[in-house]
Every structure is written in structure tokens, then in C-alpha cells.
Amino acid sequence: EISIPSDAIKKLADSDLSVEVKLPQGSVTFDKAALAAVGASAANSPVSVRIEDAKAQLNAPQQSTVGSRPVYDISVKSGNAYVTDFGGGAVTVSIPYTLKSAEKASNLVIYYLKDDGSVEKIACTYNAETRCVVFRTAHLSKYYIGYEEWINLYGDVRETDWFYDAVRYVSEKELFGGTDVGFEPAVPMTRAMLVTVLYRYAMPARGANTTDFTDVPLDLWYSDPIAWAASSGIVTGSDGKFRPDAPITRQEVAAILFRFTQQFGEGPSGDWAIRLPYADVAEIASWANEPAMWVTMKGIITGRPGDLFAPAGTATRAEVATMLMRYIEAAK
């Protein structure tokens, strides 16, 4: 456990930065919104951040669920009160874990462990350099590190396909789901689909699902994700509309991933630029120029044949799955 004086927390919250708290059992990184929420709750009390081996705390249903897997209780307290509201922000948790001889990093999963022993699966990555499991969440509680073998249920995804690893990756992390007929890798990704995938990855606290977009009802599968993305500045519309069912273009994917990264206080800042190696660089919209440079620099989006970025070209579900895999891995 680490205790931080309230005045220090408030100064950090005013810095407009993300802050990592390192502990012997791992680390907790607060994005800008989460840190501001913690600072607002601090009042005159110190803030404590704690990561604890929770094996001894488990009740019978929880113990039955966890078995021999490692489980941790992660908490933030202001004085004696737990901080449960991160103001729409999120925290990134990093827990040391050594892979067993037969385990593959891609099959590791994180589960939020509820009091009744039921679980909620959370997307995670494994940093081989630090030997840590990394995941992002909007609430802190008990979590355990699990392991699952992926079973391919998609008849339109074969091991020989160039997108097989990406489909497996996003499916294991429950970021993408299939359709009634399979994964449909060649079907264009829609704007609503991409925002929903990022919503699942970010795990934000559920808030009001209203937006100013006239074409986004309140009760559809993409209502909450679009409301979250709009309120966070990740997406914008045009003429009061979001166009949720419109196929997303490659430059729109670049811009949304770039803004998504900025929401967590990450990504480039200040004046910077790289030379884009594409023959159609002049066709990239001005609002997508910096995002295009960033996704190219990070290797998230690569060119199409003919040295083309194809900014107005639509991105398929297989392409976006690949981009998301590269994006998450690059963020480790």
C-alpha cells in the first residue's frame, strides 16, 4: 500500500497528466479523468492505493471459481472511504505474472470476481519484457488471472487466412463478436462497431446514454458506446448526425484511435511530424493528417498496394481486427 498526501494528489490532478503508482505487487496508472476524480474526493485526507493478495479473503463461491489461480484485491481509498467513482475515467493495472511452461500469453485473461463467485471477463495483454498482465478498468475490486484456450467457431475464418491471428486476438479479449453467419471478415466495419469495440476495451463507468446526435436512439446496442465516445471527444458527427451504420474509412479509424489514446493522457504532444511514405498523402483530410502520421509511426495501419494509405477507403472487419491487435500490443 502507498499513501499519498491530499495536497500532492490535488497537484497531480491539476497537472493534466496520467500518473502511475508503483507497488511491490504491481502498478496502478490513473488517466487524467480518473486522477481528477480521485483528487476531488481527497478533501483533506490522504489517498491510499493498495494491491493485495486476496486468496485469504475469498468466500466459498469465490474460492470455487478461482481455484489455484492468483487473485488480487485492488483498491483506492480517501481516508477510510473507498473511491468507487473515477469520473468516467479509467485505471490501468499491471500485475506481475510468470507464464507456466505450457501457457501462451495470448490465452491469459483477467476476470472481475464478484461476491457470489460469478465473473466478468476483461480484456488484457501480457508484457513479455516486464512479465506483467496489463488490463484497464473503470472500477477496482477483486480480480484474478485466468487462462483460456480459444476455440474457433467461425466457419469463415481459417488458420491459413492472413487475419486469423487478429480474429483470434480480438475474440479472446471479447472485443469483437461474430454475426449470425460467422465473423464476416470481408464485411465493412461500421462507425458504431468500432466505437463499441473501443468501449469494451476501455471499460468506462456506465453513464448517461444520451447524445446530441439525431440518428442515435437511446435503446440500441451502440447507444452507450457512442454517448461515451462523444462525451470523451473521441468521435464527432456532422450536421448533428453520427451515421452509426456508415462504413468507417481508414482515416476515420486513424483519427478515432488517435483521440482514444489522447483521452488517456498518452500519445504525442507538442509540435511533431513524420514524412508519410504514401503516394496519395495529399488525399488525407487535414483533420486526419496527424492521426495518419501517428498510426503509421506506430505500425498500427500500414499502406495498401501501390504505396497507398487509401484514406477514404473503407476498412473491413478483418482489417480493423488487425489494427486493434497492433494498437493494443503497441500500447503495452
Side-chain angles (χ1 to χ4, degrees), residues 199 205-231:
Y199 181 77
R206 186 184 177 95
N209 65 347
T210 58
T211 73
D212 293 330
F213 298 130
T214 59
D215 57 349
V216 179
L218 300 180
D219 55 355
L220 295 181
W221 57 271
Y222 53 67
S223 301
D224 282 354
I226 292 176
W228 160 77
S231 65

Side-chain angles (χ1 to χ4, degrees), residues 112-143:
Y112 159 45
L113 181 63
K114 302 179 183 179
D115 291 341
D116 62 359
S118 61
V119 299
E120 181 180 312
K121 188 176 179 181
I122 295 176
C124 71
T125 58
Y126 184 74
N127 189 320
E129 182 178 343
T130 61
R131 294 185 178 181
C132 286
V133 178
V134 183
F135 65 97
R136 180 175 280 146
T137 180
H139 60 88
L140 295 176
S141 185
K142 293 182 178 68
Y143 294 89

Side-chain angles (χ1 to χ4, degrees), residues 31 48 52 73 92 104 125 140 144 158 162 171 181-182 209 214 221 253 298 303 314 318 320 322:
D31 68 17
S48 60
E52 181 181 9
D73 188 4
T92 300
K104 296 180 181 179
T125 58
L140 295 176
Y144 79 93
R158 299 179 298 274
W162 62 267
S171 298
V181 297
N209 65 347
T214 59
W221 57 271
V253 175
K298 290 290 187 179
T314 57
V320 174
T322 303

Side-chain angles (χ1 to χ4, degrees), residues 24-331:
Q25 291 276 37
S27 68
V28 179
T29 301
F30 300 86
D31 68 17
K32 293 186 293 185
L35 189 63
V38 172
S41 69
N44 296 316
S45 301
V47 170
S48 60
V49 182
R50 184 181 183 91
I51 301 178
E52 181 181 9
D53 185 333
K55 276 286 189 178
Q57 306 173 13
L58 303 184
N59 58 34
Q62 290 174 325
Q63 184 60 61
S64 176
T65 298
V66 171
S68 62
R69 305 298 297 184
V71 56
Y72 298 91
D73 188 4
I74 307 164
S75 62
V76 176
K77 295 175 71 175
S78 176
N80 294 320
Y82 286 97
V83 178
T84 58
D85 181 6
F86 290 110
V91 298
T92 300
V93 180
S94 180
I95 300 289
Y97 182 81
T98 301
L99 287 169
K100 298 177 182 178
S101 59
E103 288 185 338
K104 296 180 181 179
S106 60
N107 291 336
L108 291 174
V109 294
I110 287 289
Y111 290 107
Y112 159 45
L113 181 63
K114 302 179 183 179
D115 291 341
D116 62 359
S118 61
V119 299
E120 181 180 312
K121 188 176 179 181
I122 295 176
C124 71
T125 58
Y126 184 74
N127 189 320
E129 182 178 343
T130 61
R131 294 185 178 181
C132 286
V133 178
V134 183
F135 65 97
R136 180 175 280 146
T137 180
H139 60 88
L140 295 176
S141 185
K142 293 182 178 68
Y143 294 89
Y144 79 93
I145 302 171
Y147 190 82
E148 289 185 358
E149 294 281 358
W150 183 60
I151 300 175
N152 181 14
L153 300 178
Y154 302 126
D156 52 1
V157 177
R158 299 179 298 274
E159 288 193 40
T160 54
D161 291 326
W162 62 267
F163 49 78
Y164 177 84
D165 287 342
V167 172
R168 173 177 177 167
Y169 188 91
V170 298
S171 298
E172 285 178 333
K173 299 185 182 309
E174 296 190 349
L175 299 177
F176 274 58
T179 68
D180 293 337
V181 297
F183 187 81
E184 295 194 284
V187 169
M189 188 84 168
T190 67
R191 287 167 55 82
M193 286 178 185
L194 178 59
V195 169
T196 300
V197 167
L198 293 178
Y199 181 77
R200 292 169 182 160
Y201 177 60
M203 295 287 293
R206 186 184 177 95
N209 65 347
T210 58
T211 73
D212 293 330
F213 298 130
T214 59
D215 57 349
V216 179
L218 300 180
D219 55 355
L220 295 181
W221 57 271
Y222 53 67
S223 301
D224 282 354
I226 292 176
W228 160 77
S231 65
S232 301
I234 297 169
V235 299
T236 59
S238 177
D239 298 324
K241 295 183 178 181
F242 180 72
R243 299 179 295 116
D245 298 321
I248 196 161
T249 65
R250 288 165 58 84
Q251 64 183 358
E252 286 175 333
V253 175
I256 289 174
L257 289 179
F258 184 66
R259 295 177 195 140
F260 177 77
T261 300
Q262 290 180 315
Q263 186 217 4
F264 297 107
E266 301 167 1
S269 61
D271 294 329
W272 73 283
I274 65 168
R275 184 182 297 276
L276 290 172
Y278 309 116
D280 57 352
V281 65
E283 298 175 18
I284 299 174
S286 58
W287 51 264
N289 191 50
E290 187 177 14
M293 289 190 291
W294 182 74
V295 295
T296 298
M297 179 177 65
K298 290 290 187 179
I300 296 167
I301 297 181
T302 56
R304 284 182 171 174
D307 293 329
L308 301 176
F309 187 76
T314 57
T316 66
R317 284 170 54 85
E319 287 176 326
V320 174
T322 303
M323 295 170 188
L324 259 294
M325 178 178 69
R326 293 170 180 163
Y327 173 83
I328 295 172
E329 288 299 303

